[in-house]
């Protein structure tokens, strides 16, 4: 596996494969890799001749400096995991390699980056779009892999690719979970023992919402689920919403959209966890 830190090395490496008609898969990450990330690498390996990955903790997508400061960084371990998974190339740039000049790009996603996460993390999705677009230009992959775990991010990337007519297939990969249902996340290692024990309640509650699909008022189902999670000591729901899975806008009733999703963000102590479940 090639480990590179500069943009020019990526082009040199990938151009040769591209010229030989090989397909390139790309998995952008912020490192602290867990089996959820590796499942994206595995899917890319199945679909492409070459699988590449980036590890970059993108400062401009953190609206909370404390979260950025405490974001886990385990580069040596990540590299071993990527080697084991059969990744061919990993890009681990410094901040100055990605952002040699002050960032000025502004994307317009309409309401898509203002609801759910966007309401509580202003500027977050613009930061995501900036880094992903730059990485897309650097790697120029045939396919790029994103987890359904970050559903709104996936919708933003799909929209970005569509708006800019980028010739990249965006592949959505299922959320990889611990045996007890907790969605794998790099932030899980920061959970206290007590909060880790209770964290599977998030997915359990989302499943209960799914079981109530079509019954009663949507607002009541949301309120009941929110209350159940808020009743756990140390847990605080930031949002729990049932929305149109395409637009991410609220719906007035269960039949208003072709597909619904329940999305939530919950503080377990000072660790912010997100999860979601497609209802239909
Ligand atoms: P991150 O390093 O958190 O930016 O995540 C990099 C990619 O891995 C994103 O596309 C995430 O959606 C995806 N990802 C993170 N956690 C999981 C998971 N538990 N299951 C599937 N994909 C995931």
């Amino acid at each position: 596996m090639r480990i590179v830190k500069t943009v020019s090395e990526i082009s040199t490496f990938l151009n040769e494969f591209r010229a030989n008609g090989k397909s390139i898969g790309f998995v952008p990450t912020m490192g602290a890799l867990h089996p959820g990330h590796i499942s994206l690498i595995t899917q890319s390996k199945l679909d492409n001749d070459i699988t590449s990955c980036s590890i970059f903790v993108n400062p401009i997508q953190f609206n909370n400096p404390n979260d950025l400061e405490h974001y886990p960084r385990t580069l040596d371990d990540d590299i071993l995991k990527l080697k084991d998974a059969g990744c061919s190339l990993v890009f681990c740039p410094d901040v100055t390699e990605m952002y040699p000049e002050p960032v000025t790009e502004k994307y317009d996603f309409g309401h898509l980056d203002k609801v759910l996460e966007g309401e509580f993390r202003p500027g977050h999705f613009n930061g995501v779009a900036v880094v992903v677009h730059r990485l897309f230009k650097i790697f120029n992959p045939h396919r790029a892999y994103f987890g359904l775990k970050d559903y709104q991010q996936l919708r933003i990337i799909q929209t970005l690719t569509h708006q800019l007519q980028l010739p990249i297939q965006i592949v959505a990969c299922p959320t990889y979970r611990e045996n007890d249902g907790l969605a794998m996340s790099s932030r899980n290692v920061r959970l206290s023992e007590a909060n880790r024990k209770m964290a599977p309640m998030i997915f359990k509650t989302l499943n209960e919402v799914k079981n109530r699909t079509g019954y009663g008022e949507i607002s009541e189902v949301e309120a009941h689920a929110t209350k159940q999670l808020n009743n756990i000591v140390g847990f605080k729901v930031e949002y729990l919403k049932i929305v149109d899975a395409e637009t991410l806008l609220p719906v007035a009733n269960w039949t208003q959209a072709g597909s619904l999703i329940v999305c939530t963000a919950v503080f377990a102590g000072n660790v912010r966890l997100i999860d979601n479940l497609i209802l239909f």
Side-chain angles (χ1 to χ4, degrees), residues 261-275:
I261 185 168
V262 56
C263 299
T264 191
V266 182
F267 275 100
N270 60 3
V271 182
R272 189 173 182 278
L273 302 175
I274 60 168
D275 203 350

Side-chain angles (χ1 to χ4, degrees), residues 28-31 34 36-37 40 71 145-147 149-150 153 174-176 184:
T29 81
M30 297 204 298
H34 53 64
H37 295 112
L40 272 54
Y71 201 83
Y145 294 78
F146 292 86
K149 153 89 169 34
D150 299 281
Q153 169 172 281
T175 301
Y176 211 83
M184 288 195 183

Side-chain angles (χ1 to χ4, degrees), residues 89-110:
L89 170 71
V90 57
F91 179 45
C92 323
D94 291 333
V95 173
T96 49
E97 182 71 9
M98 286 306 290
Y99 303 125
E101 311 279 342
V103 176
T104 53
E105 297 99 304
K106 285 266 176 294
Y107 294 85
D108 182 1
F109 298 114

Side-chain angles (χ1 to χ4, degrees), residues 135-155:
L135 288 167
F136 279 0
K137 283 195 261 191
I138 295 167
F139 281 80
N140 193 13
H142 296 88
R143 299 184 187 84
Y145 294 78
F146 292 86
L148 281 159
K149 153 89 169 34
D150 299 281
Y151 186 81
Q152 190 171 9
Q153 169 172 281
L154 170 71
R155 289 291 304 117

